[in-house]
Amino acid sequence: MIWSLLVAFGVFFILTNGLPPALVYAERKLAAGIQNRVGPNRVGPYGLLQPIADAIKLLFKEDVTPRGADKFLFSIAPILSFVPAALAFAIIPFGNYAGEVRLQVADLNVGILFATAIISLGAYGIAFGGWASNSKFPLLAAVRSSAQLISYEVVMALALVAMIMTYGTVRTEVMVLAQAVPLAETGPFAYLPAWGVFQQPIAFVLFVICCFAENNRAPFDMPECEAELVGGYHTEYSSMKFALFFQGEYIAMTTMSALIVTIFLGGWHFPGMDVADHSVGMGILTILVFMAKLLGVLFFYIWVRWTLPRFRYDQVMRLCWKGCIPIALVNIAITGIIGVLYS
Amino acid sequence: MAGPATTHAPETPSQTGIGERLFLPSVVKGLLSTLRHMMFGESFTVEYPEESVYAVNKFPNDENRRFRGEHILVKDDQGREKCVACMLCSAACPAVCITIVPEEVDWEDRDRRPKVFEIDMLRCIYCGFCEEACPCDAIRLTPAFYQVSRTREEKVYDKEKLLNDDPDDPRGKYQSPIHPGK
């Protein structure tokens, strides 16, 4: 029991706290590659120590609280954007069993619902940060961000409803097991695993779009569009408070990617594996498979960010309410009809 | 026009096709484009202290030769300066940084040359007027831009320095044979 907790929390800690610096480095390197540049290469071999240099710099910067700012909210906002993102990771099964150890921090019976509820709390971090700064641009960013997050949460929930109908459960562990079977008994699809992306491609696309919007990542990075809002909600932040915002953003990205992997890309499952094999070696292998998928999705996040220009604000809203929501509703209806016909 | 005049602007026809209005096909196209740059694109960065700006040529057609840096005095095919000390460059110079003292020579093709030709690089504003004013193509601006010296005196370039034709020198390699692009 104590071992399972230690292993689970160890991997959890690495994923939520070790990954963001690596992601910052990867982001800068990939951005450089896309833009035909070199990227960080001065600090350490291949610039690998750049994130550490950045962190040290941020630690030694002056921690400024603007005059007239609401001190309590101003201090608590970065924490509010950091904690929920890391917390939601708890329900992600990042591997099968390793011996007796269940590779998941918490197997909640409300599963996905817990994740969506907790991730929504991240909006408070942005809203409070913008409000408490006593500055007009962060406030505008906060207002925009709140509207955007509320809108896209609707689409996200609708996409999830279709998936819950498909799997017949909200428990993430059971969802992964439901994907660990062939897509069809016979025919050309028998070689494909029953991953969510093959069963529900439309829900997958919608969910990925929502993840970008929920994380305030390009092309939906409304809260921090430099051209209009200076730096967005963290304009007035400096030092480690800013760093916490920054890290929260990357952890939210990791958590969202993990959700995509769990719901749509088969979690820790890979074709040809024996789900009943609970040996330690198999457990480690499943962790590696999960990590590979996670890094693939994160790569996609970065890739998209440096490819697409930012949407205009009204375009973001139109895409959500007039584009995604009708499609999501139709998708649910089709899923329901197929479910009734085949049961 | 038959109907009543309308104040409404005519509806502009949509310039975008169905692919662009659905976003996703265009997004995929863009993603493939950036992937190509990521995988096969060569970096344009000159990694300065390790790489010499003059040694690498990352720009097709050597675009950076248009840069106006330090001057050279051009030599003719007999290795003599082309300059005939007509003083047009020093007259054109808005910073008054060119000092010329002419002297007589008894060469077949000309009878004047500069005895002293000095450019004060600390005063020069690199406008290129001297190059434009010169009737003999005798003075040129090169892309050389290192402006390092220990004393002010070093930055007053005399005739010997200006007549540099060392092909390894950032200025000298623009001596011969003909300044490309002229």
Side-chain angles (χ1 to χ4, degrees), chain A residues 64-79:
Chain A
V64 182
T65 308
R67 201 181 303 141
D70 185 326
K71 284 217 174 60
F72 177 68
L73 285 185
F74 190 77
S75 306
I76 209 169
I79 303 170

PDB file of all heavy atoms in Angstrom, chain A residues 64-79:
ATOM      1  N   VAL A  64       7.286  42.686  -7.221  1.00  0.00           N
ATOM      2  CA  VAL A  64       6.574  43.971  -7.147  1.00  0.00           C
ATOM      3  C   VAL A  64       5.082  43.728  -6.971  1.00  0.00           C
ATOM      4  O   VAL A  64       4.497  42.905  -7.672  1.00  0.00           O
ATOM      5  CB  VAL A  64       6.814  44.787  -8.433  1.00  0.00           C
ATOM      6  CG1 VAL A  64       6.109  46.126  -8.337  1.00  0.00           C
ATOM      7  CG2 VAL A  64       8.288  44.975  -8.668  1.00  0.00           C
ATOM      8  N   THR A  65       4.484  44.433  -6.007  1.00  0.00           N
ATOM      9  CA  THR A  65       3.029  44.470  -5.912  1.00  0.00           C
ATOM     10  C   THR A  65       2.591  45.882  -6.267  1.00  0.00           C
ATOM     11  O   THR A  65       3.026  46.837  -5.618  1.00  0.00           O
ATOM     12  CB  THR A  65       2.563  44.133  -4.487  1.00  0.00           C
ATOM     13  OG1 THR A  65       3.176  42.910  -4.093  1.00  0.00           O
ATOM     14  CG2 THR A  65       1.065  43.994  -4.432  1.00  0.00           C
ATOM     15  N   PRO A  66       1.787  46.042  -7.294  1.00  0.00           N
ATOM     16  CA  PRO A  66       1.448  47.399  -7.725  1.00  0.00           C
ATOM     17  C   PRO A  66       0.668  48.163  -6.647  1.00  0.00           C
ATOM     18  O   PRO A  66      -0.034  47.557  -5.833  1.00  0.00           O
ATOM     19  CB  PRO A  66       0.564  47.172  -8.956  1.00  0.00           C
ATOM     20  CG  PRO A  66       0.620  45.752  -9.267  1.00  0.00           C
ATOM     21  CD  PRO A  66       1.140  45.019  -8.100  1.00  0.00           C
ATOM     22  N   ARG A  67       0.815  49.495  -6.690  1.00  0.00           N
ATOM     23  CA  ARG A  67       0.065  50.332  -5.751  1.00  0.00           C
ATOM     24  C   ARG A  67      -1.427  50.171  -6.039  1.00  0.00           C
ATOM     25  O   ARG A  67      -1.851  50.129  -7.193  1.00  0.00           O
ATOM     26  CB  ARG A  67       0.473  51.785  -5.924  1.00  0.00           C
ATOM     27  CG  ARG A  67       0.169  52.652  -4.731  1.00  0.00           C
ATOM     28  CD  ARG A  67       0.580  54.073  -4.996  1.00  0.00           C
ATOM     29  NE  ARG A  67       2.003  54.169  -5.335  1.00  0.00           N
ATOM     30  CZ  ARG A  67       2.483  54.992  -6.276  1.00  0.00           C
ATOM     31  NH1 ARG A  67       1.679  55.764  -6.950  1.00  0.00           N
ATOM     32  NH2 ARG A  67       3.770  55.039  -6.517  1.00  0.00           N
ATOM     33  N   GLY A  68      -2.219  50.057  -4.997  1.00  0.00           N
ATOM     34  CA  GLY A  68      -3.665  49.947  -5.174  1.00  0.00           C
ATOM     35  C   GLY A  68      -4.127  48.546  -5.508  1.00  0.00           C
ATOM     36  O   GLY A  68      -5.312  48.313  -5.716  1.00  0.00           O
ATOM     37  N   ALA A  69      -3.193  47.585  -5.561  1.00  0.00           N
ATOM     38  CA  ALA A  69      -3.591  46.217  -5.858  1.00  0.00           C
ATOM     39  C   ALA A  69      -4.204  45.570  -4.624  1.00  0.00           C
ATOM     40  O   ALA A  69      -3.868  45.912  -3.491  1.00  0.00           O
ATOM     41  CB  ALA A  69      -2.373  45.410  -6.320  1.00  0.00           C
ATOM     42  N   ASP A  70      -5.100  44.641  -4.854  1.00  0.00           N
ATOM     43  CA  ASP A  70      -5.660  43.858  -3.759  1.00  0.00           C
ATOM     44  C   ASP A  70      -4.623  42.798  -3.386  1.00  0.00           C
ATOM     45  O   ASP A  70      -4.441  41.815  -4.097  1.00  0.00           O
ATOM     46  CB  ASP A  70      -6.974  43.214  -4.230  1.00  0.00           C
ATOM     47  CG  ASP A  70      -7.680  42.489  -3.104  1.00  0.00           C
ATOM     48  OD1 ASP A  70      -6.975  41.923  -2.237  1.00  0.00           O
ATOM     49  OD2 ASP A  70      -8.917  42.497  -3.085  1.00  0.00           O
ATOM     50  N   LYS A  71      -3.948  43.031  -2.255  1.00  0.00           N
ATOM     51  CA  LYS A  71      -2.757  42.222  -1.959  1.00  0.00           C
ATOM     52  C   LYS A  71      -3.080  40.743  -1.827  1.00  0.00           C
ATOM     53  O   LYS A  71      -2.355  39.889  -2.319  1.00  0.00           O
ATOM     54  CB  LYS A  71      -2.090  42.726  -0.673  1.00  0.00           C
ATOM     55  CG  LYS A  71      -1.318  43.996  -0.871  1.00  0.00           C
ATOM     56  CD  LYS A  71      -0.035  44.004  -0.031  1.00  0.00           C
ATOM     57  CE  LYS A  71       0.803  45.228  -0.351  1.00  0.00           C
ATOM     58  NZ  LYS A  71       0.112  46.505  -0.076  1.00  0.00           N
ATOM     59  N   PHE A  72      -4.191  40.437  -1.145  1.00  0.00           N
ATOM     60  CA  PHE A  72      -4.509  39.036  -0.904  1.00  0.00           C
ATOM     61  C   PHE A  72      -4.797  38.309  -2.219  1.00  0.00           C
ATOM     62  O   PHE A  72      -4.197  37.278  -2.528  1.00  0.00           O
ATOM     63  CB  PHE A  72      -5.702  38.934   0.040  1.00  0.00           C
ATOM     64  CG  PHE A  72      -6.147  37.524   0.284  1.00  0.00           C
ATOM     65  CD1 PHE A  72      -5.335  36.648   0.993  1.00  0.00           C
ATOM     66  CD2 PHE A  72      -7.360  37.059  -0.214  1.00  0.00           C
ATOM     67  CE1 PHE A  72      -5.732  35.345   1.215  1.00  0.00           C
ATOM     68  CE2 PHE A  72      -7.752  35.757  -0.003  1.00  0.00           C
ATOM     69  CZ  PHE A  72      -6.947  34.901   0.718  1.00  0.00           C
ATOM     70  N   LEU A  73      -5.692  38.881  -3.015  1.00  0.00           N
ATOM     71  CA  LEU A  73      -6.036  38.234  -4.282  1.00  0.00           C
ATOM     72  C   LEU A  73      -4.833  38.200  -5.207  1.00  0.00           C
ATOM     73  O   LEU A  73      -4.609  37.231  -5.936  1.00  0.00           O
ATOM     74  CB  LEU A  73      -7.190  38.973  -4.959  1.00  0.00           C
ATOM     75  CG  LEU A  73      -8.563  38.766  -4.360  1.00  0.00           C
ATOM     76  CD1 LEU A  73      -9.613  39.450  -5.203  1.00  0.00           C
ATOM     77  CD2 LEU A  73      -8.884  37.287  -4.249  1.00  0.00           C
ATOM     78  N   PHE A  74      -4.031  39.272  -5.167  1.00  0.00           N
ATOM     79  CA  PHE A  74      -2.859  39.356  -6.041  1.00  0.00           C
ATOM     80  C   PHE A  74      -1.889  38.214  -5.748  1.00  0.00           C
ATOM     81  O   PHE A  74      -1.267  37.675  -6.653  1.00  0.00           O
ATOM     82  CB  PHE A  74      -2.177  40.711  -5.829  1.00  0.00           C
ATOM     83  CG  PHE A  74      -1.110  41.018  -6.832  1.00  0.00           C
ATOM     84  CD1 PHE A  74      -1.439  41.434  -8.101  1.00  0.00           C
ATOM     85  CD2 PHE A  74       0.232  40.902  -6.502  1.00  0.00           C
ATOM     86  CE1 PHE A  74      -0.466  41.726  -9.033  1.00  0.00           C
ATOM     87  CE2 PHE A  74       1.215  41.196  -7.428  1.00  0.00           C
ATOM     88  CZ  PHE A  74       0.859  41.601  -8.691  1.00  0.00           C
ATOM     89  N   SER A  75      -1.777  37.856  -4.459  1.00  0.00           N
ATOM     90  CA  SER A  75      -0.848  36.787  -4.095  1.00  0.00           C
ATOM     91  C   SER A  75      -1.438  35.406  -4.351  1.00  0.00           C
ATOM     92  O   SER A  75      -0.713  34.460  -4.665  1.00  0.00           O
ATOM     93  CB  SER A  75      -0.471  36.896  -2.611  1.00  0.00           C
ATOM     94  OG  SER A  75       0.014  38.174  -2.342  1.00  0.00           O
ATOM     95  N   ILE A  76      -2.743  35.305  -4.208  1.00  0.00           N
ATOM     96  CA  ILE A  76      -3.339  33.976  -4.277  1.00  0.00           C
ATOM     97  C   ILE A  76      -3.623  33.559  -5.728  1.00  0.00           C
ATOM     98  O   ILE A  76      -3.736  32.369  -6.031  1.00  0.00           O
ATOM     99  CB  ILE A  76      -4.631  33.929  -3.416  1.00  0.00           C
ATOM    100  CG1 ILE A  76      -4.839  32.504  -2.914  1.00  0.00           C
ATOM    101  CG2 ILE A  76      -5.844  34.384  -4.188  1.00  0.00           C
ATOM    102  CD1 ILE A  76      -5.904  32.423  -1.861  1.00  0.00           C
ATOM    103  N   ALA A  77      -3.671  34.537  -6.637  1.00  0.00           N
ATOM    104  CA  ALA A  77      -4.023  34.232  -8.031  1.00  0.00           C
ATOM    105  C   ALA A  77      -3.054  33.248  -8.694  1.00  0.00           C
ATOM    106  O   ALA A  77      -3.501  32.272  -9.309  1.00  0.00           O
ATOM    107  CB  ALA A  77      -4.128  35.521  -8.845  1.00  0.00           C
ATOM    108  N   PRO A  78      -1.733  33.443  -8.558  1.00  0.00           N
ATOM    109  CA  PRO A  78      -0.826  32.474  -9.203  1.00  0.00           C
ATOM    110  C   PRO A  78      -0.999  31.070  -8.640  1.00  0.00           C
ATOM    111  O   PRO A  78      -0.941  30.084  -9.385  1.00  0.00           O
ATOM    112  CB  PRO A  78       0.573  33.012  -8.880  1.00  0.00           C
ATOM    113  CG  PRO A  78       0.384  34.405  -8.468  1.00  0.00           C
ATOM    114  CD  PRO A  78      -0.980  34.524  -7.916  1.00  0.00           C
ATOM    115  N   ILE A  79      -1.243  30.982  -7.322  1.00  0.00           N
ATOM    116  CA  ILE A  79      -1.447  29.667  -6.708  1.00  0.00           C
ATOM    117  C   ILE A  79      -2.706  29.025  -7.285  1.00  0.00           C
ATOM    118  O   ILE A  79      -2.739  27.829  -7.579  1.00  0.00           O
ATOM    119  CB  ILE A  79      -1.560  29.810  -5.178  1.00  0.00           C
ATOM    120  CG1 ILE A  79      -0.305  30.494  -4.639  1.00  0.00           C
ATOM    121  CG2 ILE A  79      -1.768  28.478  -4.515  1.00  0.00           C
ATOM    122  CD1 ILE A  79      -0.405  30.905  -3.203  1.00  0.00           C
TER     123      ILE A  79
END
